[in-house]
Amino acid sequence: EVQLLESGGGLVQPGGSLRLSCAASGFTFSSYAMSWVRQAPGKGLEWVSAISGSGATTYFGDSVKGRFTISRDNSKNTLFLQMHNMRAEDTAIYYCATGLRGAFDHWGQGTLATVSS
Amino acid sequence: DIQMTQSPSSLSASVGDRVTITCRASQVIGGYLAWYQQIPGTVPKLLIYAASTLQSGVPSRFSGSGSGTDFTLTINSLQAEDVATYYCQKYNSAPLTFGGGTKVEIK
């Protein structure tokens, strides 16, 4: 059974940093591209970032480009999202997600990041 | 970047009604279109991928159609458990943009 378990969320001040993790199990982690998707309180889904299975290629949404980095440790089946220079508008539940065919058929439960002074 | 526009943003229908949600891409995306259902307080769930392929375990009253830039999600015979927000998403290439969502309620 595929499982994705996010961690690392919490309260951070504006301008601060936070590192999210997503522990994966139940599938060949290194074979799958992985993404981060976020959802601000009461708002819709926003794709944030993606990384190829090898980790060689990364992609970012315009709202986080230059502030967030994505990485993975295939030896530990773990995905990361490093967030710097955080803003109030980064407050959201952050989900890791993946899927064999490109669409996201597996999602974690999410971790909440709150940016506030 | 390609924009994904859903309509309507919300709708109210009766149990048993046929419900149609549309999603328009600002450029051609082929068939790389997915639909998700998010019931309040839960994680999004994949309903349809490749524009019209039903994900395993999803009730057959859900169907998808379209290609190129215009896509449709149809719920035949709306049920009470279908109250949710529905999102489309392009996944042909990054950014993997979601539509703004359509909130479906029971009248």
Side-chain angles (χ1 to χ4, degrees), chain A residues 35 37 39 43-47 50 59-62 65 95 101-105 107-110, chain B residues 1 32 34 36 38 42-46 48-50 55 87 89 91 94-100:
Chain A
S35 278
V37 177
Q39 187 167 35
K43 302 297 184 182
L45 302 173
E46 180 187 10
W47 173 80
Y59 308 90
F60 297 92
D62 286 343
K65 206 171 290 184
Y95 299 100
R101 302 170 190 86
F104 300 153
D105 53 355
W107 297 68
Q109 289 300 306
Chain B
D1 290 345
Y32 295 96
Y36 301 87
Q38 189 176 32
T42 71
V43 175
K45 172 187 173 183
L46 177 65
I48 287 168
Y49 62 93
Q55 174 71 352
Y87 297 92
Q89 183 203 23
Y91 60 93
L96 310 181
T97 310
F98 288 91

Side-chain angles (χ1 to χ4, degrees), chain B:
Chain B
D1 290 345
I2 297 174
Q3 307 303 313
M4 305 299 292
T5 304
Q6 277 183 245
S7 61
S9 57
S10 65
L11 65 88
S12 182
S14 299
V15 171
D17 282 355
R18 184 183 189 190
V19 169
T20 299
I21 299 168
T22 63
C23 178
R24 174 165 289 177
S26 59
Q27 298 176 39
V28 171
I29 60 170
Y32 295 96
L33 191 283
W35 290 98
Y36 301 87
Q37 175 195 58
Q38 189 176 32
I39 294 170
T42 71
V43 175
K45 172 187 173 183
L46 177 65
L47 296 177
I48 287 168
Y49 62 93
S52 60
T53 302
L54 201 65
Q55 174 71 352
S56 176
V58 173
S60 59
R61 63 180 180 274
F62 292 92
S63 65
S65 64
S67 65
T69 60
D70 294 317
F71 302 88
T72 300
L73 173 69
T74 300
I75 309 173
N76 282 301
S77 189
L78 184 71
Q79 302 299 302
E81 59 265 33
D82 300 334
V83 169
T85 301
Y86 294 84
Y87 297 92
C88 63
Q89 183 203 23
K90 64 170 282 289
Y91 60 93
N92 58 321
S93 62
L96 310 181
T97 310
F98 288 91
T102 297
K103 187 175 184 179
V104 174
E105 298 177 322
I106 300 294
K107 192 181 295 182

Side-chain angles (χ1 to χ4, degrees), chain A:
Chain A
E1 179 192 3
V2 173
Q3 290 195 337
L4 300 171
L5 183 62
E6 302 93 337
S7 60
L11 176 64
V12 62
Q13 292 188 337
S17 298
L18 209 55
R19 189 194 197 203
L20 307 181
S21 300
C22 171
S25 61
F27 64 106
T28 306
F29 182 68
S30 60
S31 295
Y32 288 73
M34 298 291 298
S35 278
W36 287 97
V37 177
R38 70 183 180 183
Q39 187 167 35
K43 302 297 184 182
L45 302 173
E46 180 187 10
W47 173 80
V48 173
S49 181
I51 187 168
S52 63
S54 67
T57 307
T58 60
Y59 308 90
F60 297 92
D62 286 343
S63 63
V64 306
K65 206 171 290 184
R67 299 187 299 122
F68 290 12
T69 59
I70 188 172
S71 61
R72 63 193 297 161
D73 184 339
N74 285 346
S75 69
K76 296 182 179 178
N77 290 353
T78 305
L79 173 72
F80 303 100
L81 184 69
Q82 179 69 58
M83 303 184 289
H84 294 294
N85 191 20
M86 295 185 72
R87 308 164 180 166
E89 54 265 35
D90 295 321
T91 294
I93 297 173
Y94 286 75
Y95 299 100
C96 62
T98 190
L100 176 62
R101 302 170 190 86
F104 300 153
D105 53 355
H106 298 292
W107 297 68
Q109 289 300 306
T111 187
L112 176 63
T114 303
V115 184
S116 176
S117 55

